[in-house]
């Protein structure tokens, strides 16, 4: 029987979602907890991967069990009681045997949180911009340029194993939310490190160090070295996977 | 010249506000940072004290300098750049030489945050209630009883050095704020550990283990052993000092 599991995590202490040798990852901790309860080795397939330090308020994965669960809600409770405070399961649902957390996802949505004031309660959950502050009108103008392109090689980590670097951007905008400026970006798929590279390059525009035209040239160059440095991981949240 | 300093801190890694030997406190870190910048040993007097692990979104202290500051705003920036991420200074203002952060305060306001759902982003900033949940209507009814009394010995840590255990309660109520239930309590003064003892005893009422009448009897007994156990520190915030 196949299941979808919906969960959230604070990425601060993890080397991202995807399992890897010698580093603690969310996938490893979550799989181990579930395997312990069902007494069967469980392998999960995530809807995507998040980098070291990146958070997720809504992440999805699928897994198979040889013996169906009697009570998925009870399983959620059991999992939450043995998982650490920085991983929480929201829901487990039985799905069709060919349902796929990654291939069936139509889009992913990320949010990036920026603050210009020192905030002791959100220092793990936002990037703090020092100095004169950013011009968000200019950054929103530059963000609109993203809709004109599909090849985002310039914002992708080099040497990734994907066949194409094409992404369909569905949403890209900066909005004020309380004390924070928040960049919301939605696309059918994202390349490795792409959101943080986009945000870091928009910071250059917001600081007046790059014009909108130069931002366009960065995308057209298909050269990662032309883009800005990656924005810090702690500001980034995976907030939705749409099926 | 005397100054008031307004600041916030995440209490998780501190043994409260007040300086003490062999333990790290907010007062020590803040005084040391300021002393380093002004090259003069600074002693601060806080508006009150918070316990180990308790947070403050608005705390006030006063201090004297032999040489007046040239630019208090610039000093705020300098302090924030050398203070750790969990202490932030909001403002420094010159005041009259007899102004007193503690004696001049007319009241203090605390908030206590409770969640019934596991939340990975607020686990350091709220208390999680397991099981069937609490009856907040009953807890609000019990909270109203607090206005009928002034002697809160039952909610005070034993062996404190205060002359009386009298407090004038100005506000005490539970309200829903997003995913959280929040208890706001305002009084002219608070006894040591008082808010957490009140909240812990209200939890007993909310769980149906104590009636409103029994809650009244707890206060009248003037016996700390009759009250509930203290609610966890991580849910408590000092949110305002009113002058």
């Amino acid at each position: 029987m196949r299941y979808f599991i919906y969960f959230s995590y604070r990425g601060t202490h993890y080397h991202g979602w995807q399992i890897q040798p010698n580093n603690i990852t969310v996938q490893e901790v979550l799989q181990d907890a579930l395997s312990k309860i069902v007494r069967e080795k469980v392998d999960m397939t995530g809807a995507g991967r998040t980098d070291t330090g990146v958070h997720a308020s809504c992440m999805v994965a699928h897994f198979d069990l040889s013996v169906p669960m009697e009570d998925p809600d009870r399983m959620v409770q059991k999992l939450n009681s043995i998982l650490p405070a920085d991983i929480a399961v929201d829901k487990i649902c039985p799905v069709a045997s060919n349902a796929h957390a990654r291939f069936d996802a139509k889009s992913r949505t990320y949010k990036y949180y920026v603050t210009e004031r020192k905030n002791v309660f959100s220092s793990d959950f936002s990037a703090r911009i020092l100095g004169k502050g950013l011009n968000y009108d200019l950054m929103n103008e530059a963000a609109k340029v993203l809709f004109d392109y599909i090849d985002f090689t310039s914002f992708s980590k080099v040497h990734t194993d994907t066949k194409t670097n094409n992404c369909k951007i569905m949403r890209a905008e900066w909005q004020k939310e309380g004390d924070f400026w928040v960049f919301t970006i939605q696309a059918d798929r994202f390349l490795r490190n792409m959101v943080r590279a986009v945000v870091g390059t928009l910071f250059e525009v917001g600081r007046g160090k790059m014009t909108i035209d130069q931002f366009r040239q960065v995308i057209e160059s298909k050269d990662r070295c032309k883009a800005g440095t990656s924005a810090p991981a702690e500001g980034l949240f995976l907030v939705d996977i749409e099926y």
Side-chain angles (χ1 to χ4, degrees), chain A:
Chain A
M1 176 70 94
R2 179 159 290 191
Y3 296 88
F4 267 26
I5 181 168
Y6 299 79
F7 53 101
S8 56
Y9 51 88
R10 194 174 355 136
T12 316
H13 302 301
Y14 295 98
H15 284 255
W17 155 255
Q18 186 138 315
I19 215 157
Q20 52 179 275
N22 306 326
N23 278 320
I24 189 161
T25 63
V26 177
Q27 185 180 8
E28 181 187 346
V29 174
L30 190 56
Q31 281 184 183
D32 285 358
L34 182 55
S35 300
K36 206 172 283 175
I37 299 174
V38 299
R39 295 180 193 180
E40 173 182 346
K41 190 178 169 339
V42 180
D43 285 308
M44 293 190 178
T45 302
R49 41 165 94 176
T50 56
D51 291 340
T52 297
V54 172
H55 316 292
S57 58
C58 179
M59 169 68 164
V60 184
H62 76 249
F63 61 90
D64 295 310
L65 291 186
S66 58
V67 182
M69 266 178 220
E70 278 180 21
D71 184 346
D73 289 344
R74 181 85 193 91
M75 181 65 78
V76 169
Q77 281 175 26
K78 277 190 197 171
L79 272 170
N80 281 332
S81 69
I82 67 169
L83 283 167
D86 52 11
I87 303 179
V89 177
D90 293 317
K91 204 168 54 174
I92 297 176
C93 309
V95 292
S97 61
N98 63 347
H100 198 286
R102 184 166 157 220
F103 299 145
D104 292 353
K106 291 199 170 51
S107 68
R108 284 96 178 148
T109 305
Y110 283 88
K111 286 193 179 206
Y112 195 95
Y113 286 78
V114 170
T115 171
E116 296 184 354
R117 233 180 97 241
K118 188 170 180 180
N119 182 326
V120 297
F121 304 113
S122 72
S123 58
D124 290 341
F125 306 122
S126 60
R128 187 168 158 234
I129 298 296
L130 298 167
K132 284 186 307 151
L134 301 171
N135 183 331
Y136 291 93
D137 288 337
L138 273 181
M139 284 156 77
N140 258 331
E141 227 180 293
K144 284 199 196 102
V145 169
L146 294 168
F147 293 102
D148 296 341
Y149 297 90
I150 56 164
D151 186 329
F152 292 101
T153 306
S154 304
F155 298 127
S156 172
K157 214 161 198 166
V158 219
H159 303 309
T160 51
D161 52 0
T162 51
K163 283 177 200 148
T164 83
N165 288 334
N166 290 355
C167 310
K168 196 183 149 202
I169 306 289
M170 299 161 176
R171 192 178 164 193
E173 60 177 330
W174 287 93
Q175 288 171 308
K176 191 101 166 92
E177 282 186 24
D179 276 351
F180 302 93
W181 274 98
V182 184
F183 181 61
T184 306
I185 186 164
Q186 181 183 7
D188 60 341
R189 64 194 283 256
F190 287 94
L191 311 173
R192 278 208 72 187
N193 201 246
M194 177 170 155
V195 183
R196 290 168 55 202
V198 168
V199 171
T201 312
L202 288 174
F203 284 170
E204 297 290 294
V205 174
R207 286 190 184 101
K209 292 188 178 171
M210 185 185 287
T211 64
I212 311 278
D213 265 352
Q214 284 169 330
F215 183 75
R216 199 177 276 279
Q217 284 158 26
V218 165
I219 303 175
E220 290 180 0
S221 73
K222 298 181 189 174
D223 178 0
R224 178 65 185 86
C225 304
K226 295 276 196 299
T229 50
S230 284
E234 62 264 28
L236 186 59
F237 289 70
L238 172 61
V239 298
D240 207 6
I241 318 270
E242 297 85 12
Y243 288 96

